[in-house]
């Protein structure tokens, strides 16, 4: 399973990168705004800064809602680095833009996906990644993990190469459960990734080993 970090915060991206397990980064306009990154030039520069910190794919979202605007913005983003994945909203124009870019061998990520039908369309349009938002489904008393299972079944039925990128991950068990189902990638906050390390028996075991080692060395 690939691990992406879902943030535009450079310090957190660096911390995740230093763990040695990071495969990429996803961002969105809200995450950029949260870091105070506004204005086209600052946003483009921030994407370059992120690409310089990591080796893998970096999803950069278009803001336009019309096909022409998405193509213009997507081409500008893709020109920044080979690492850039053009992130497109799941709309009619988003699907058309996805096909346009995949025909030109540019990487795409169809975002804001909440149904298996939307994921099927993304695969048909040749998306590199499809991003089902599992946390937002859980927020409205639906079940995000069921959606991941449905998409996995559909993609396996037809051998679609689009990678399932489980997004809107809220906590550590979301990551574990997505891995059990077979999501190809997960993107989550640093806290959810670091949560994978923790177990009270590990802490107790370390304390015991340290104490026994020190006894033998007095
Ligand atoms: C995915 O690419 C999105 O940036 C993200 O996972 C959305 O997560 P949220 O629902 O926590 O905002």
């Amino acid at each position: 399973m690939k691990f992406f970090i879902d943030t535009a915060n450079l310090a957190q991206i660096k911390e995740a990168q230093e763990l040695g397990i990071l495969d990429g980064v996803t961002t969105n306009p809200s995450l950029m705004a949260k870091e105070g990154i506004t204005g086209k030039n600052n946003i483009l520069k921030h994407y370059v800064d992120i690409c310089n910190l990591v080796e893998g794919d970096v999803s950069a979202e278009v803001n336009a809602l019309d096909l022409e605007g998405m193509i213009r913005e997507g081409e500008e983003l893709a020109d920044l680095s080979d690492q850039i994945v053009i992130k497109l909203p799941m709309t009619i124009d988003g699907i058309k833009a996805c096909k346009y870019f995949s025909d030109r061998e540019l990487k795409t990520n169809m975002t804001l996906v909440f149904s298996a039908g939307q994921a099927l369309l993304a695969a048909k349009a040749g998306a590199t990644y499809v991003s089902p938002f599992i946390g937002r489904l859980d927020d409205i008393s639906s079940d995000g993990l069921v959606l991941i299972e449905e998409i996995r079944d559909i993609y396996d039925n037809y051998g679609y190469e689009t990678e399932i990128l489980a997004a809107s991950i809220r906590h550590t068990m979301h990551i574990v459960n997505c891995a059990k189902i077979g999501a190809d990638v997960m993107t989550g906050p640093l806290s959810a990734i670091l949560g994978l390390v923790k177990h009270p028996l590990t802490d107790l075991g370390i304390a015991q080993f340290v104490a026994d080692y020190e006894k033998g060395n007095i």
Side-chain angles (χ1 to χ4, degrees):
M1 186 192 217
K2 289 188 207 166
F3 273 34
F4 289 177
I5 187 168
D6 193 30
T7 184
N9 181 290
L10 296 181
Q12 290 187 15
I13 293 169
K14 189 163 178 286
E15 190 176 338
Q17 174 66 22
E18 284 169 358
L19 276 175
I21 51 85
L22 192 68
D23 300 296
V25 179
T26 53
T27 61
N28 63 41
S30 305
L31 292 171
M32 282 288 188
K34 195 173 159 196
E35 299 307 317
I37 314 295
T38 55
K40 186 179 158 190
N41 289 344
N42 290 333
I43 290 172
L44 293 181
K45 181 187 172 302
H46 202 70
Y47 284 131
V48 173
D49 290 343
I50 293 174
C51 289
N52 288 336
L53 272 183
V54 299
E55 280 171 18
D57 284 349
V58 175
S59 283
E61 191 155 344
V62 300
N63 292 295
L65 296 177
D66 63 301
L67 177 60
E68 199 182 306
M70 286 183 198
I71 289 175
R72 193 176 53 247
E73 272 187 53
E75 284 176 340
E76 203 166 1
L77 290 167
D79 279 346
L80 295 175
S81 163
D82 288 346
Q83 290 167 260
I84 292 288
V85 177
I86 306 162
K87 203 171 178 189
L88 300 157
M90 173 46 73
T91 60
I92 297 282
D93 278 1
I95 285 292
K96 288 179 186 170
C98 180
K99 182 77 173 81
Y100 174 91
F101 290 124
S102 62
D103 282 349
R104 285 155 184 79
E105 298 192 348
L106 290 171
K107 292 178 282 189
T108 51
N109 175 356
M110 288 304 299
T111 191
L112 291 165
V113 166
F114 294 96
S115 77
Q118 290 177 327
L120 178 56
L121 263 185
K124 291 282 295 171
T128 314
Y129 298 105
V130 64
S131 288
F133 276 33
I134 65 173
R136 292 193 195 187
L137 281 171
D138 291 357
D139 287 346
I140 58 159
S141 303
S142 190
D143 191 337
L145 291 171
V146 168
L147 175 59
I148 302 288
E149 279 171 346
E150 288 175 349
I151 301 172
R152 181 74 283 156
D153 283 348
I154 290 170
Y155 283 12
D156 288 349
N157 282 347
Y158 296 99
Y160 288 129
E161 287 178 8
T162 300
E163 293 189 47
I164 303 173
L165 197 176
S168 188
I169 293 270
R170 296 284 163 74
H171 52 75
T172 301
M173 283 311 292
H174 266 157
I175 303 177
V176 174
N177 287 324
C178 283
K180 282 161 75 175
I181 293 165
D184 300 288
V185 192
M186 80 82 204
T187 189
L190 182 61
S191 58
I193 297 172
L194 294 180
L196 291 166
V197 178
K198 294 179 194 155
H199 197 288
L201 291 179
T202 304
D203 298 339
L204 279 173
I206 289 172
Q208 183 71 57
F209 288 154
V210 168
D212 288 345
Y213 175 79
E214 282 173 356
K215 261 190 256 164
N217 282 288
I218 289 170

